[in-house]
Amino acid sequence: GESVGLHLPTLSVQEGDNSIINCAYSNSASDYFIWYKQESGKGPQFIIDIRSNMDKRQGQRVTVLLNKTVKHLSLQIAATQPGDSAVYFCAETRTGGATNKLIFGTGTLLAVQP
Amino acid sequence: DAEITQSPRHKITETGRQVTLACHQTWNHNNMFWYRQDLGHGLRLIHYSYGVQDTNKGEVSDGYSVSRSNTEDLPLTLESAASSQTSVYFCASSDGRLRQETQYFGPGTRLLVL
């Protein structure tokens, strides 16, 4: 069935290092992907998105890479800061249909060590 | 600023009681969604709406209902609360043009059913 999963449930990095959070998706028809950040006690917050016609998209300190060949998505955070500590999860969907829904992964906990 | 709010933020209720969780957004978004978030499951879709008077069942809709009488609100009702419905509930909304574009989440309601 359709699913979105994460390779690493917990990622611990040193402050200032770069972080890479990975996500595998199984629906080759998905054409839109989103990364969310969820801090403790808060709702998910949109970080960055990417469409399937792109391989890479950059934001402020974040980059999302999409490899459609192996159905893999990654989120890179440059110069990780303590405020980046949160659960990150990806979501996928196929746009243009009548009832397409976002499918969410279970999340990766990013722990930034000072 | 436009936003999405949920109330109450915390709720304790007893098994068998009817509970209604409120969701209000001021973005004028057509689409609204309710999710529950439990450890190990990620976000699971309960109900969603693509506009006024439109409601649809998600993957875990049993025991829940919604109504959409205006654009801004999508209240979620637990008809007869069960302990299995103890969870954190998130409401989200998105622009209506492409149905499942980026969803923006509320802060969540933590529900405990005793």
Side-chain angles (χ1 to χ4, degrees):
Chain A
E2 299 175 358
S3 67
V4 174
L6 298 174
H7 296 302
L8 298 173
T10 304
L11 178 64
S12 184
V13 300
Q14 291 294 125
E15 181 178 358
D17 287 351
N18 296 334
S19 302
I20 300 176
I21 301 171
N22 297 302
C23 175
Y25 64 95
S26 59
N27 186 2
S28 57
S30 291
D31 61 0
Y32 181 61
F33 306 87
I34 307 170
W35 278 102
Y36 285 93
K37 172 186 180 182
Q38 187 175 20
E39 297 175 272
S40 181
K42 297 184 178 181
Q45 176 186 0
F46 170 85
I47 302 173
I48 192 168
D49 59 359
I50 189 168
R51 298 190 185 279
S52 59
N53 61 352
M54 302 172 69
D55 297 323
K56 178 180 180 179
R57 191 170 187 211
Q58 289 185 293
Q60 187 176 12
R61 281 202 307 119
V62 295
T63 300
V64 55
L65 299 177
L66 176 62
N67 186 330
K68 295 180 287 295
T69 301
V70 295
K71 290 183 285 188
H72 185 266
L73 194 68
S74 68
L75 177 71
Q76 300 179 358
I77 304 174
T80 312
Q81 303 169 358
D84 295 326
S85 293
V87 174
Y88 292 81
F89 53 91
C90 61
E92 63 165 318
T93 191
R94 181 170 66 89
T95 60
T99 59
N100 293 320
K101 303 173 184 63
L102 281 178
I103 300 171
F104 294 89
T106 54
T108 292
L109 174 62
L110 177 64
V112 181
Q113 309 300 324
Chain B
D1 288 342
E3 61 177 356
I4 182 167
T5 58
Q6 295 182 234
S7 63
R9 295 295 314 280
H10 303 272
K11 176 76 176 178
I12 300 175
T13 191
E14 296 176 340
T15 302
R17 289 190 179 270
Q18 184 181 78
V19 177
T20 296
L21 310 182
C23 175
H24 181 80
Q25 53 96 4
T26 58
W27 280 304
N28 201 34
H29 282 167
N30 286 333
N31 305 335
M32 296 185 73
F33 310 84
W34 272 105
Y35 295 90
R36 60 178 289 173
Q37 187 177 44
D38 306 284
L39 270 175
H41 287 281
L43 286 162
R44 291 185 291 176
L45 184 62
I46 305 172
H47 282 286
Y48 58 102
S49 168
Y50 289 142
V52 176
Q53 301 303 330
D54 176 74
T55 61
N56 306 279
K57 293 182 178 181
E59 62 180 304
V60 291
S61 61
D62 288 348
Y64 304 94
S65 64
V66 293
S67 61
R68 188 89 181 271
S69 59
N70 58 53
T71 300
E72 296 80 18
D73 300 288
L74 186 70
L76 176 71
T77 297
L78 286 67
E79 304 294 343
S80 177
S83 57
S84 60
Q85 294 177 306
T86 292
S87 186
V88 181
Y89 291 86
F90 289 101
C91 179
S93 71
S94 70
D95 188 281
R97 289 171 295 173
L98 290 177
R99 293 269 166 130
Q100 293 293 338
E101 290 291 289
T102 306
Q103 294 181 21
Y104 298 92
F105 286 81
T109 294
R110 190 173 295 270
L111 177 68
L112 174 61
V113 182
L114 299 176

